[in-house]
Structures are given as C-alpha cells and as structure tokens.
Amino acid sequence: MTLYIDPGTSGLIINFLIAIFSSIIYFFRKLFFKRLIKKTSGQFDISLFSEGNQYKNTFLPIVNQLIKKKISFNYYTLDYKDEVLNIESKFINSSFLGIGTRGYLKFNSLSSRILISTTPNIGNKNSPLKKPKKVRELAHVWHSIDDISYYMKGSLDFYDTVLTVGDFQNESIRKIENLRNLKPKKLIPVGLPYFDVYLNNIKLNNLMDKTILIGSSWGNKGLLKRFGFDLIKIIAKKYKVILRPHPQSFISEKHFIEDFKKKCMTLPNLKWDESGDPLESFSNSSLLISDTSAIRFDYSFLTNKPVITLKIKKESLHEYEADYIEDIWGEKTEGLLGPVINEKNIAEINQEIESLLKNKIAGKSINTLKAKTIYSIGESSTKIVQYLTS
C-alpha cells in the first residue's frame, strides 16, 4: 500500500480556506458535545499520527491500551471526523492538524521522542509529509497482512522502526535496506492491532445461498483494472456478488470507479460494499476472489473460507517494492488459501467457484498459516505499549 495523500490537492488558497472552515467545524462540534479537553503543550514522549478515521481500528486499540495503563500521549490526525478525537481522557492530547497544506506543515513541525504512524512514504521527496526533525524515532505500524512487496518503492526508507506483524516481513525489509544502503531499522514483533479488533467483532453466518465476495486492490494491480467488467459479468450471471473495491479506489481512481458502477447497473445480482468495515461482507459470503490484496489473508484467517487469487503479472508491479523482490511472501503462501488462476484461464472462473463451493479446502491449513504469520494474536496493542514504555 502507499501514501494516500495527493500532493497536488487543489491550490494553496483553496487548501487554506478548507483548513480554516474544517477547523471551525471541528471546534464547534467539540464544543456542542461538551468534549473540549484541556490541551497540553503536546510535548509528551509518545505520539500517534493517523491520516484519518479509516485507520480507527489500527489506532484505537493502542489508544485504549495507553489510557488503560495511564500513560500520557499525543494523538494527531488529518481528519476532523476522526472518532478518536471524541475520546475524553486526561491521558490523551488529541489534535486535528488541518486539511491539505496546513495539516502537512503542522505535521512536519511535530516534536516527540517516538511517533507511530501507519502512513507509508513519510520523508520521500514526492510526499507532502516530511520526517519531523524533532521526532527522534519514527515507527511504522502495519495495517495489512503482507510484507513490504506491495508498498510503493521507498515507502519505509525514512522510518527508524517497524512494528512487525510477523517474522515473514523481516526478509523483504532487510533486502530493500541492503539494496539502498539504508541504516537497518529496528524490527519489533508486535502483531496486528486491527486484526484483533476484527477477531472480536466478526459474526460468521452459515450461508445456504452462494454469495461471492470480490475484493480488489486499487491502482494498476487491482483486478477491476486488470480483468475489467467482463469478469464481473461472468460471475454475476451465475452467482450473487458483493463487489468491494479497496477504499482508496474511491479517492485515487474515483472516475474509474464511477464508470465501473454505471456498467454494473445492468447486473441485478451485484451489490456494492463501500463501507469502512469489511466484516459484514466477510460473514455474508461463501468465498473471496481477489488479486494481490492483503484482504485475502484477513478474509481467510478470520473466516476459514477459501480464496481464489487472480494472478497479476509482475510487470504490472514496477511501481512497487515487488520489482526488487524475487520471493514475494504473498505469492509463496496464496496457494494455501485456495486456487490461483492465471489470466489465460480466467474464463474458467465459474468452474473453480463451483468446485470450491462443493469441496471447500480444509481450515486446518489456513489456521496453520495464521499461527505462523501473526505475532501475539489478541495482544498486539499490549505488545506495542510495552515497547513504547520500555
């Protein structure tokens, strides 16, 4: 995955006006609900930074654990609708930085012993977010089950620490460091906060009907762009379909998605899922069809249901670290989740679906892979706070 902020977001004047308007809305929103908290100087040793509410499940477990342990910290966000801003506690100093240029500039001036973020590309020359000079340690917390392969090139180059999901990530990180002659990062095994949230919240249904969830990556490696409307039409003629594009698609490729939705209006069996929470679609589907997306591992590890992977040619991945990595972890393990279909065999997709629905792969292989993949299941936020206070 990559940084979701567009460096060319409108003009400076428009950004300035939007930032002021958003700040006013944020102020009165907090005032109305009597949730104005006395702010500190923001000089706590520990700080968290989020692009917005779409990462609530990544940061909220950490926030709750810090408050539980009575540890004071800063929480910064670029989204005035971020629900973490509504938390009332004397231990959290929460701040909406602003929208566009104003928010970027305030981020670049942050001061803290350690700053945790899940945003890739911080510090890169094409990113509006520079590594703050007054932050001693910039630490990355993961928001997917994958190695560095499907991050854009240079995404973690300016991070000092990576809070890793599992040992499987170490090899690709070290390979990129050696390739670019980077200072070795601290790799701290902690697990995955949002996965713990999903694990506690998912409610599985025993479906009698045949519903297929199609989850696409965004960008050129996404199945919607690679295989197009014809693939969706083939599947939707025979099965009920839930189509869930990556949430970033609605931002970075908005016109493409709008055009795709118009085409899909002719398919009565198709339902779109545009929610921030995938659990309902996970529960209400019989299997998942995806591409390189890490949603494959979320889905399989949470539901024990099979996944069909549509193979994306490596020449489509030249923008990503995968361009330098021969043994991509996702490619080595995707066959344990279900069949992998090449582009030339795409017409046989319905036969593969029918076979899986009749003879589902055993959940044992999925559970074995899950146990080998994720550290500290159910305790990741505890591990992160232990590191922050060590």
Side-chain angles (χ1 to χ4, degrees):
M1 299 185 69
T2 187
L3 177 64
Y4 296 163
I5 304 166
D6 181 6
T9 303
S10 98
L12 289 176
I13 296 177
I14 293 175
N15 272 336
F16 179 72
L17 292 174
I18 290 175
I20 289 190
F21 181 68
S22 301
S23 298
I24 292 172
I25 291 175
Y26 168 64
F27 175 80
F28 283 106
R29 175 172 169 262
K30 298 280 278 187
L31 185 63
F32 180 78
F33 289 104
K34 299 180 180 180
R35 287 176 175 170
L36 276 176
I37 304 167
K38 183 179 179 180
K39 299 296 177 184
T40 70
S41 62
Q43 295 299 314
F44 293 136
D45 283 347
I46 297 169
S47 298
L48 312 179
F49 166 72
S50 174
E51 290 175 58
N53 202 53
Q54 66 269 38
Y55 296 110
K56 178 184 69 174
N57 287 332
T58 292
F59 288 102
L60 190 56
I62 306 171
V63 166
N64 288 337
Q65 187 67 17
L66 285 165
I67 292 173
K68 180 181 177 181
K69 295 294 183 181
K70 299 181 180 181
I71 299 167
S72 297
F73 64 99
N74 303 309
Y75 180 83
Y76 301 111
T77 179
L78 297 177
D79 180 6
Y80 71 89
K81 294 182 180 179
D82 193 326
E83 293 176 33
V84 176
L85 292 172
N86 296 330
I87 295 176
E88 296 185 14
S89 171
K90 65 181 180 180
F91 299 105
I92 181 172
N93 174 52
S94 57
S95 297
F96 163 57
L97 297 179
I99 292 176
T101 302
R102 180 173 182 269
Y104 307 152
L105 291 174
K106 291 188 74 173
F107 171 85
N108 297 340
S109 65
L110 294 181
S111 175
S112 188
R113 175 181 62 82
I114 184 169
L115 175 64
I116 293 183
S117 174
T118 193
T119 301
N121 280 340
I122 291 176
N124 285 349
K125 64 178 182 179
N126 294 325
S127 170
L129 297 179
K130 307 306 176 186
K131 184 178 179 180
K133 294 180 179 180
K134 296 181 181 180
V135 168
R136 283 165 50 191
E137 180 180 354
L138 183 61
H140 182 72
V141 59
W142 229 267
H143 56 261
S144 63
I145 303 173
D146 217 334
D147 66 2
I148 200 176
S149 299
Y150 298 118
Y151 270 18
M152 299 290 280
K153 289 179 179 177
S155 289
L156 298 186
D157 283 4
F158 290 87
Y159 275 89
D160 305 295
T161 302
V162 179
L163 305 174
T164 57
V165 177
D167 282 335
F168 73 95
Q169 294 179 318
N170 297 0
E171 182 179 352
S172 59
I173 292 172
R174 294 302 186 212
K175 183 177 182 65
I176 295 301
E177 288 174 346
N178 291 333
L179 180 72
R180 299 200 184 100
N181 197 27
L182 301 172
K183 179 182 177 181
K185 300 170 182 59
K186 287 191 290 184
L187 305 182
I188 310 299
V190 296
L192 200 55
Y194 82 82
F195 186 82
D196 294 344
V197 174
Y198 284 172
L199 200 59
N200 288 331
N201 293 340
I202 192 166
K203 297 176 181 178
L204 298 178
N205 294 333
N206 294 318
L207 293 175
M208 299 302 293
D209 61 344
K210 300 174 180 179
T211 302
I212 311 304
L213 174 61
I214 300 177
S216 175
S217 299
W218 69 282
N220 294 328
K221 61 182 173 62
L223 67 85
L224 295 185
K225 281 195 171 180
R226 290 294 296 170
F227 301 103
F229 173 72
D230 290 342
L231 170 68
I232 310 301
K233 184 169 64 174
I234 290 172
I235 301 170
K237 278 186 177 181
K238 189 172 182 181
Y239 303 99
K240 293 181 180 179
V241 171
I242 301 173
L243 185 55
R244 181 179 172 82
H246 191 288
Q248 186 61 22
S249 292
F250 297 99
I251 301 172
S252 297
E253 44 191 8
K254 184 178 180 180
H255 295 303
F256 168 77
I257 292 295
E258 288 175 349
D259 289 341
F260 208 94
K261 289 181 76 171
K262 290 178 183 177
K263 292 179 181 179
C264 289
M265 291 177 68
T266 61
L267 305 176
N269 282 340
L270 187 142
K271 173 185 175 183
W272 283 76
D273 178 5
E274 302 179 26
S275 68
D277 187 340
L279 296 187
E280 184 175 350
S281 290
F282 281 13
S283 180
N284 293 331
S285 57
S286 305
L287 61 83
L288 168 70
I289 298 174
S290 189
D291 39 58
T292 61
S293 176
I295 194 177
R296 296 174 297 169
F297 298 96
D298 288 336
Y299 183 85
S300 192
F301 289 173
L302 288 166
T303 69
N304 276 354
K305 298 174 187 176
V307 175
I308 296 176
T309 296
L310 303 184
K311 202 67 178 174
I312 303 297
K313 293 180 180 178
K314 196 161 184 177
E315 56 261 34
S316 303
L317 304 175
H318 65 277
E319 299 174 284
Y320 303 89
E321 299 288 20
D323 202 28
Y324 303 125
I325 299 171
E326 295 178 3
D327 297 323
I328 297 174
W329 177 82
E331 290 186 349
K332 291 189 293 184
T333 56
E334 61 195 10
L336 297 174
L337 309 180
V340 180
I341 299 180
N342 294 317
E343 192 166 356
K344 63 181 181 180
N345 299 322
I346 201 69
E348 302 171 6
I349 185 76
N350 280 346
Q351 290 95 306
E352 288 285 0
I353 293 173
E354 193 64 29
S355 176
L356 279 178
L357 292 176
K358 289 180 179 178
N359 307 295
K360 292 184 179 180
I361 61 173
K364 184 177 180 181
S365 63
I366 296 173
N367 284 326
T368 300
L369 178 61
K370 177 171 68 174
K372 291 180 179 179
T373 300
I374 306 177
Y375 288 123
S376 310
I377 293 177
E379 299 181 351
S380 60
S381 59
T382 300
K383 295 294 182 182
I384 290 172
V385 170
Q386 286 176 354
Y387 173 69
L388 292 177
T389 57
S390 62

